[in-house]
PDB file of all heavy atoms in Angstrom:
ATOM      1  N   LEU A 317     -21.578 -16.647 -44.466  1.00  0.00           N
ATOM      2  CA  LEU A 317     -21.084 -15.222 -44.009  1.00  0.00           C
ATOM      3  C   LEU A 317     -21.271 -15.062 -42.519  1.00  0.00           C
ATOM      4  O   LEU A 317     -22.265 -15.442 -41.876  1.00  0.00           O
ATOM      5  CB  LEU A 317     -21.807 -14.129 -44.713  1.00  0.00           C
ATOM      6  CG  LEU A 317     -21.551 -14.131 -46.265  1.00  0.00           C
ATOM      7  CD1 LEU A 317     -22.451 -13.006 -46.894  1.00  0.00           C
ATOM      8  CD2 LEU A 317     -20.077 -13.724 -46.462  1.00  0.00           C
ATOM      9  N   ASP A 318     -20.197 -14.475 -41.899  1.00  0.00           N
ATOM     10  CA  ASP A 318     -20.379 -14.073 -40.578  1.00  0.00           C
ATOM     11  C   ASP A 318     -20.334 -12.542 -40.329  1.00  0.00           C
ATOM     12  O   ASP A 318     -19.390 -11.913 -40.870  1.00  0.00           O
ATOM     13  CB  ASP A 318     -19.226 -14.603 -39.738  1.00  0.00           C
ATOM     14  CG  ASP A 318     -19.224 -16.113 -39.250  1.00  0.00           C
ATOM     15  OD1 ASP A 318     -20.478 -16.510 -39.291  1.00  0.00           O
ATOM     16  OD2 ASP A 318     -18.290 -16.638 -39.074  1.00  0.00           O
ATOM     17  N   LEU A 319     -21.406 -11.992 -39.828  1.00  0.00           N
ATOM     18  CA  LEU A 319     -21.468 -10.504 -39.596  1.00  0.00           C
ATOM     19  C   LEU A 319     -20.937 -10.429 -38.148  1.00  0.00           C
ATOM     20  O   LEU A 319     -21.639 -10.400 -37.189  1.00  0.00           O
ATOM     21  CB  LEU A 319     -22.855 -10.024 -39.592  1.00  0.00           C
ATOM     22  CG  LEU A 319     -23.150  -8.546 -39.324  1.00  0.00           C
ATOM     23  CD1 LEU A 319     -22.273  -7.609 -40.306  1.00  0.00           C
ATOM     24  CD2 LEU A 319     -24.640  -8.145 -39.600  1.00  0.00           C
ATOM     25  N   ASN A 320     -19.583 -10.278 -38.135  1.00  0.00           N
ATOM     26  CA  ASN A 320     -18.899 -10.287 -36.749  1.00  0.00           C
ATOM     27  C   ASN A 320     -18.925  -8.872 -36.062  1.00  0.00           C
ATOM     28  O   ASN A 320     -18.962  -7.899 -36.723  1.00  0.00           O
ATOM     29  CB  ASN A 320     -17.568 -10.975 -36.800  1.00  0.00           C
ATOM     30  CG  ASN A 320     -16.554 -10.061 -37.321  1.00  0.00           C
ATOM     31  OD1 ASN A 320     -16.306  -8.981 -36.973  1.00  0.00           O
ATOM     32  ND2 ASN A 320     -15.746 -10.464 -38.416  1.00  0.00           N
ATOM     33  N   PRO A 321     -18.965  -8.995 -34.844  1.00  0.00           N
ATOM     34  CA  PRO A 321     -19.057  -7.605 -34.064  1.00  0.00           C
ATOM     35  C   PRO A 321     -17.864  -6.743 -34.253  1.00  0.00           C
ATOM     36  O   PRO A 321     -17.959  -5.565 -34.141  1.00  0.00           O
ATOM     37  CB  PRO A 321     -19.188  -8.043 -32.620  1.00  0.00           C
ATOM     38  CG  PRO A 321     -18.540  -9.519 -32.653  1.00  0.00           C
ATOM     39  CD  PRO A 321     -19.003 -10.153 -33.951  1.00  0.00           C
ATOM     40  N   TYR A 322     -16.713  -7.294 -34.655  1.00  0.00           N
ATOM     41  CA  TYR A 322     -15.541  -6.497 -34.840  1.00  0.00           C
ATOM     42  C   TYR A 322     -15.709  -5.608 -36.147  1.00  0.00           C
ATOM     43  O   TYR A 322     -15.258  -4.503 -36.170  1.00  0.00           O
ATOM     44  CB  TYR A 322     -14.327  -7.379 -35.058  1.00  0.00           C
ATOM     45  CG  TYR A 322     -13.964  -8.092 -33.837  1.00  0.00           C
ATOM     46  CD1 TYR A 322     -13.925  -9.511 -33.777  1.00  0.00           C
ATOM     47  CD2 TYR A 322     -13.626  -7.504 -32.719  1.00  0.00           C
ATOM     48  CE1 TYR A 322     -13.593 -10.230 -32.717  1.00  0.00           C
ATOM     49  CE2 TYR A 322     -13.379  -8.181 -31.571  1.00  0.00           C
ATOM     50  CZ  TYR A 322     -13.277  -9.527 -31.476  1.00  0.00           C
ATOM     51  OH  TYR A 322     -13.002 -10.202 -30.446  1.00  0.00           O
ATOM     52  N   MET A 323     -16.379  -6.134 -37.046  1.00  0.00           N
ATOM     53  CA  MET A 323     -16.767  -5.300 -38.313  1.00  0.00           C
ATOM     54  C   MET A 323     -17.596  -4.037 -37.887  1.00  0.00           C
ATOM     55  O   MET A 323     -17.412  -2.967 -38.329  1.00  0.00           O
ATOM     56  CB  MET A 323     -17.377  -6.053 -39.421  1.00  0.00           C
ATOM     57  CG  MET A 323     -17.593  -5.291 -40.727  1.00  0.00           C
ATOM     58  SD  MET A 323     -19.134  -4.383 -40.774  1.00  0.00           S
ATOM     59  CE  MET A 323     -20.254  -5.817 -41.054  1.00  0.00           C
ATOM     60  N   LEU A 324     -18.599  -4.380 -37.116  1.00  0.00           N
ATOM     61  CA  LEU A 324     -19.634  -3.342 -36.659  1.00  0.00           C
ATOM     62  C   LEU A 324     -18.845  -2.349 -35.831  1.00  0.00           C
ATOM     63  O   LEU A 324     -19.000  -1.073 -35.931  1.00  0.00           O
ATOM     64  CB  LEU A 324     -20.719  -3.982 -35.880  1.00  0.00           C
ATOM     65  CG  LEU A 324     -21.530  -4.940 -36.639  1.00  0.00           C
ATOM     66  CD1 LEU A 324     -22.532  -5.596 -35.722  1.00  0.00           C
ATOM     67  CD2 LEU A 324     -22.232  -4.356 -37.812  1.00  0.00           C
ATOM     68  N   LEU A 325     -18.020  -2.858 -34.854  1.00  0.00           N
ATOM     69  CA  LEU A 325     -17.252  -1.987 -34.024  1.00  0.00           C
ATOM     70  C   LEU A 325     -16.268  -1.058 -34.740  1.00  0.00           C
ATOM     71  O   LEU A 325     -16.205   0.181 -34.520  1.00  0.00           O
ATOM     72  CB  LEU A 325     -16.594  -2.786 -32.922  1.00  0.00           C
ATOM     73  CG  LEU A 325     -15.693  -2.033 -31.921  1.00  0.00           C
ATOM     74  CD1 LEU A 325     -16.476  -1.033 -31.157  1.00  0.00           C
ATOM     75  CD2 LEU A 325     -15.034  -2.971 -30.911  1.00  0.00           C
ATOM     76  N   SER A 326     -15.665  -1.721 -35.744  1.00  0.00           N
ATOM     77  CA  SER A 326     -14.707  -0.884 -36.620  1.00  0.00           C
ATOM     78  C   SER A 326     -15.398   0.174 -37.391  1.00  0.00           C
ATOM     79  O   SER A 326     -14.982   1.380 -37.427  1.00  0.00           O
ATOM     80  CB  SER A 326     -14.067  -1.902 -37.567  1.00  0.00           C
ATOM     81  OG  SER A 326     -13.277  -1.147 -38.454  1.00  0.00           O
ATOM     82  N   THR A 327     -16.617  -0.085 -37.926  1.00  0.00           N
ATOM     83  CA  THR A 327     -17.405   1.002 -38.601  1.00  0.00           C
ATOM     84  C   THR A 327     -17.635   2.170 -37.716  1.00  0.00           C
ATOM     85  O   THR A 327     -17.481   3.293 -38.044  1.00  0.00           O
ATOM     86  CB  THR A 327     -18.686   0.247 -39.197  1.00  0.00           C
ATOM     87  OG1 THR A 327     -18.327  -0.772 -40.031  1.00  0.00           O
ATOM     88  CG2 THR A 327     -19.506   1.344 -39.907  1.00  0.00           C
ATOM     89  N   LEU A 328     -18.266   1.794 -36.586  1.00  0.00           N
ATOM     90  CA  LEU A 328     -18.689   2.939 -35.648  1.00  0.00           C
ATOM     91  C   LEU A 328     -17.476   3.676 -35.165  1.00  0.00           C
ATOM     92  O   LEU A 328     -17.494   4.911 -35.007  1.00  0.00           O
ATOM     93  CB  LEU A 328     -19.516   2.482 -34.537  1.00  0.00           C
ATOM     94  CG  LEU A 328     -21.019   2.415 -34.746  1.00  0.00           C
ATOM     95  CD1 LEU A 328     -21.601   3.870 -34.940  1.00  0.00           C
ATOM     96  CD2 LEU A 328     -21.473   1.570 -36.069  1.00  0.00           C
ATOM     97  N   SER A 329     -16.419   2.996 -34.821  1.00  0.00           N
ATOM     98  CA  SER A 329     -15.237   3.620 -34.322  1.00  0.00           C
ATOM     99  C   SER A 329     -14.677   4.541 -35.418  1.00  0.00           C
ATOM    100  O   SER A 329     -14.237   5.699 -35.033  1.00  0.00           O
ATOM    101  CB  SER A 329     -14.142   2.541 -33.968  1.00  0.00           C
ATOM    102  OG  SER A 329     -12.993   3.087 -33.419  1.00  0.00           O
ATOM    103  N   ASN A 330     -14.566   4.138 -36.553  1.00  0.00           N
ATOM    104  CA  ASN A 330     -14.052   4.999 -37.680  1.00  0.00           C
ATOM    105  C   ASN A 330     -14.898   6.306 -37.859  1.00  0.00           C
ATOM    106  O   ASN A 330     -14.389   7.348 -38.003  1.00  0.00           O
ATOM    107  CB  ASN A 330     -13.990   4.237 -38.949  1.00  0.00           C
ATOM    108  CG  ASN A 330     -12.793   3.264 -39.092  1.00  0.00           C
ATOM    109  OD1 ASN A 330     -11.831   3.543 -38.507  1.00  0.00           O
ATOM    110  ND2 ASN A 330     -12.882   2.156 -39.745  1.00  0.00           N
ATOM    111  N   ILE A 331     -16.164   6.027 -37.851  1.00  0.00           N
ATOM    112  CA  ILE A 331     -17.079   7.213 -38.038  1.00  0.00           C
ATOM    113  C   ILE A 331     -16.974   8.224 -36.916  1.00  0.00           C
ATOM    114  O   ILE A 331     -16.994   9.407 -37.140  1.00  0.00           O
ATOM    115  CB  ILE A 331     -18.531   6.724 -38.296  1.00  0.00           C
ATOM    116  CG1 ILE A 331     -18.590   6.057 -39.657  1.00  0.00           C
ATOM    117  CG2 ILE A 331     -19.580   7.864 -38.253  1.00  0.00           C
ATOM    118  CD1 ILE A 331     -19.984   5.332 -39.930  1.00  0.00           C
ATOM    119  N   ASN A 332     -16.874   7.610 -35.762  1.00  0.00           N
ATOM    120  CA  ASN A 332     -16.892   8.492 -34.579  1.00  0.00           C
ATOM    121  C   ASN A 332     -15.586   9.344 -34.585  1.00  0.00           C
ATOM    122  O   ASN A 332     -15.639  10.506 -34.268  1.00  0.00           O
ATOM    123  CB  ASN A 332     -16.865   7.644 -33.243  1.00  0.00           C
ATOM    124  CG  ASN A 332     -17.017   8.423 -32.114  1.00  0.00           C
ATOM    125  OD1 ASN A 332     -17.869   9.451 -32.003  1.00  0.00           O
ATOM    126  ND2 ASN A 332     -16.370   8.063 -30.898  1.00  0.00           N
ATOM    127  N   ASN A 333     -14.514   8.787 -35.008  1.00  0.00           N
ATOM    128  CA  ASN A 333     -13.172   9.439 -35.198  1.00  0.00           C
ATOM    129  C   ASN A 333     -13.293  10.551 -36.205  1.00  0.00           C
ATOM    130  O   ASN A 333     -12.768  11.628 -36.092  1.00  0.00           O
ATOM    131  CB  ASN A 333     -12.081   8.470 -35.434  1.00  0.00           C
ATOM    132  CG  ASN A 333     -11.613   7.654 -34.297  1.00  0.00           C
ATOM    133  OD1 ASN A 333     -11.904   7.942 -33.143  1.00  0.00           O
ATOM    134  ND2 ASN A 333     -11.082   6.467 -34.518  1.00  0.00           N
ATOM    135  N   GLN A 334     -13.918  10.189 -37.383  1.00  0.00           N
ATOM    136  CA  GLN A 334     -14.200  11.174 -38.348  1.00  0.00           C
ATOM    137  C   GLN A 334     -14.992  12.342 -37.933  1.00  0.00           C
ATOM    138  O   GLN A 334     -14.763  13.528 -38.301  1.00  0.00           O
ATOM    139  CB  GLN A 334     -14.814  10.561 -39.604  1.00  0.00           C
ATOM    140  CG  GLN A 334     -15.043  11.422 -40.735  1.00  0.00           C
ATOM    141  CD  GLN A 334     -15.906  10.877 -41.807  1.00  0.00           C
ATOM    142  OE1 GLN A 334     -16.272   9.673 -41.781  1.00  0.00           O
ATOM    143  NE2 GLN A 334     -16.189  11.610 -42.881  1.00  0.00           N
TER     144      GLN A 334
END
Side-chain angles (χ1 to χ4, degrees):
L317 293 174
D318 280 336
L319 179 55
N320 78 50
Y322 295 119
M323 184 273 285
L324 300 176
L325 180 58
S326 175
T327 298
L328 268 294
S329 178
N330 282 330
I331 291 174
N332 193 39
N333 289 336
Q334 180 189 356

